[in-house]
Amino acid sequence: MCSSHVTIPLWRRGLQLGGSNMGTVLDIKIKRANKVYRDGEILSGVVVVMSRDTVQHQGITLTMEGSVNLQLSAKSVGVFEAFYNSVKPIQIISSSMEMVKPGKLPSGKTEIPFEFPLNAKGNKVLYETYHGVFVNIQYTLRCDMKRSLLAKDLTKSCEFIIHSLPQKAKLPPTPVDFTITPETLQNVKERASLPRFLIRGHLDSTNCMITQPLTGELLVETSEVAIKSIELQLVRVETCGCAEGYARDATEIQNIQIAEGDVCRGLPIPIYMVFPRLFTCPTLETTNFKIEFEVNVVVILHDDHLITENFPLNLCRM
């Protein structure tokens, strides 16, 4: 029986073990673990430089930026050709500081503290962080370490989250009762061919606190055809605009099934949906863009008929 023996060169062992070839690592640590801040607060943390050897550099800078990025859906691009010229990213906040002047950093771990006051430029507002499809509101920190020609410059970015200031006025609850029958449906071509059904329900409020779930109840009283599924669909409606006009696009954020199969008639089915973080924000309307939300109650029948009832929502932070 023969056994083979492979020798790994020392330099390769260093790579495998993360040894001396690790180089210099740049990182940004924000003081708050959840990275959530509000207008008027101080964003603080440390820039961390880790290296096995002394680091020669040409200066370390830290930049904080917040901006709104708008884009058009494919169907709207031809309609608003001037859109790309008129709507550049909207800068909300921007600040930069030199953290360390050119020189050397010792080997090991070096922590450099920083503080940025979060105050919007001029009369602008720090809009809440929002990750959409055609509207994106994002706040980032970027650290740059300039180095000599032979060594590559180092860059590290991280996102921090802005929550809008709580609304001062108390939001009155706006309960909505609904009844769905073939007669109440809109955009139906052959109403006579629809099976008979009667679905009742209510939403506790369409004025919603973003930190609280959307709640309500639904009840299938009668249906000639077996039911396949009942779902809640949360939709974002994003409007981007310029002098030429506005492009409005609705896209799905999430879809939650609240009942499966042919549900018992007369059985109350709870409606419960949590608003996802970052993908929702308080309802927002500005001169260049608008972010709104809606919920669809969707009933799918066994013959694949789709029954949809739409409810506009007003989200806010209290």
Side-chain angles (χ1 to χ4, degrees):
M1 191 173 175
C2 98
S3 64
S4 60
H5 184 74
V6 179
T7 305
I8 301 174
L10 280 172
W11 66 273
R12 278 200 178 275
R13 279 190 226 167
L15 281 174
Q16 287 177 337
L17 299 172
S20 58
N21 293 278
M22 186 179 75
T24 306
V25 177
L26 193 61
D27 199 10
I28 302 170
K29 301 275 187 198
I30 293 174
K31 191 173 182 180
R32 290 184 190 170
N34 64 1
K35 299 183 180 180
V36 175
Y37 290 84
R38 286 194 164 92
D39 195 344
E41 293 185 337
I42 302 286
L43 170 68
S44 60
V46 291
V47 167
V48 183
V49 183
M50 291 185 73
S51 179
R52 297 215 160 198
D53 306 305
T54 305
V55 182
Q56 182 86 36
H57 64 89
Q58 303 301 310
I60 300 173
T61 57
L62 187 65
T63 306
M64 173 191 64
E65 282 187 331
S67 62
V68 182
N69 287 291
L70 307 177
Q71 67 178 79
L72 285 180
S73 61
K75 70 180 175 70
S76 305
V77 169
V79 183
F80 305 118
E81 287 175 6
F83 184 88
Y84 290 104
N85 303 325
S86 61
V87 181
K88 298 183 177 73
I90 303 162
Q91 199 170 68
I92 308 166
I93 191 168
S94 179
S95 188
S96 190
M97 66 166 78
E98 184 183 51
M99 301 199 72
V100 182
K101 292 190 182 298
K104 285 183 182 179
L105 290 176
S107 60
K109 183 178 180 180
T110 304
E111 291 192 347
I112 310 151
F114 66 83
E115 281 190 353
F116 277 115
L118 294 171
N119 298 315
K121 300 171 82 174
N123 58 354
K124 290 184 178 170
V125 179
L126 292 188
Y127 303 126
E128 182 150 331
T129 297
Y130 168 73
H131 293 187
V133 177
F134 305 108
V135 179
N136 231 27
I137 304 171
Q138 201 164 10
Y139 299 86
T140 54
L141 279 172
R142 192 187 76 245
C143 185
D144 295 294
M145 180 193 280
K146 298 282 181 199
R147 299 167 88 189
S148 62
L149 292 172
L150 298 173
K152 194 178 173 187
D153 290 352
L154 293 179
T155 298
K156 176 70 179 179
S157 293
C158 80
E159 183 179 9
F160 63 95
I161 313 298
I162 291 289
H163 278 179
S164 55
L165 293 168
Q167 195 174 299
K168 287 174 185 170
K170 198 171 180 187
L171 205 66
T174 47
V176 174
D177 293 316
F178 59 88
T179 302
I180 311 172
T181 66
E183 288 72 38
T184 63
L185 296 180
Q186 296 175 343
N187 303 322
V188 179
K189 288 179 182 174
E190 297 175 13
R191 203 177 294 276
S193 67
L194 284 175
R196 305 300 301 169
F197 55 84
L198 172 58
I199 299 163
R200 294 187 198 280
H202 70 268
L203 295 177
D204 293 329
S205 181
T206 54
N207 275 343
C208 304
M209 280 174 62
I210 202 164
T211 52
Q212 299 295 318
L214 172 74
T215 55
E217 201 172 78
L218 179 141
L219 189 134
V220 179
E221 293 207 355
T222 60
S223 177
E224 284 180 349
V225 178
I227 289 168
K228 194 191 262 186
S229 178
I230 302 175
E231 295 164 7
L232 283 180
Q233 182 189 43
L234 183 63
V235 173
R236 58 171 88 79
V237 182
E238 297 166 322
T239 308
C240 301
C242 60
E244 282 196 323
Y246 288 85
R248 189 174 186 270
D249 291 280
T251 50
E252 182 186 288
I253 299 174
Q254 66 181 12
N255 197 81
I256 296 172
Q257 187 180 47
I258 59 171
E260 184 177 14
D262 197 17
V263 298
C264 297
R265 307 300 182 253
L267 177 74
I269 298 164
I271 289 172
Y272 188 96
M273 179 186 273
V274 173
F275 297 109
R277 188 169 175 256
L278 303 181
F279 299 106
T280 53
C281 68
T283 303
L284 183 59
E285 184 172 350
T286 75
T287 49
N288 292 99
F289 66 94
K290 210 160 41 161
I291 304 167
E292 299 164 295
F293 299 92
E294 298 173 352
V295 70
N296 291 326
V297 175
V298 183
V299 179
I300 305 166
L301 303 180
H302 247 293
D303 58 4
D304 283 333
H305 263 114
L306 209 67
I307 302 160
T308 304
E309 190 77 3
N310 175 271
F311 303 93
L313 301 176
N314 177 39
L315 300 193
C316 70
R317 191 172 288 283
M318 300 297 286

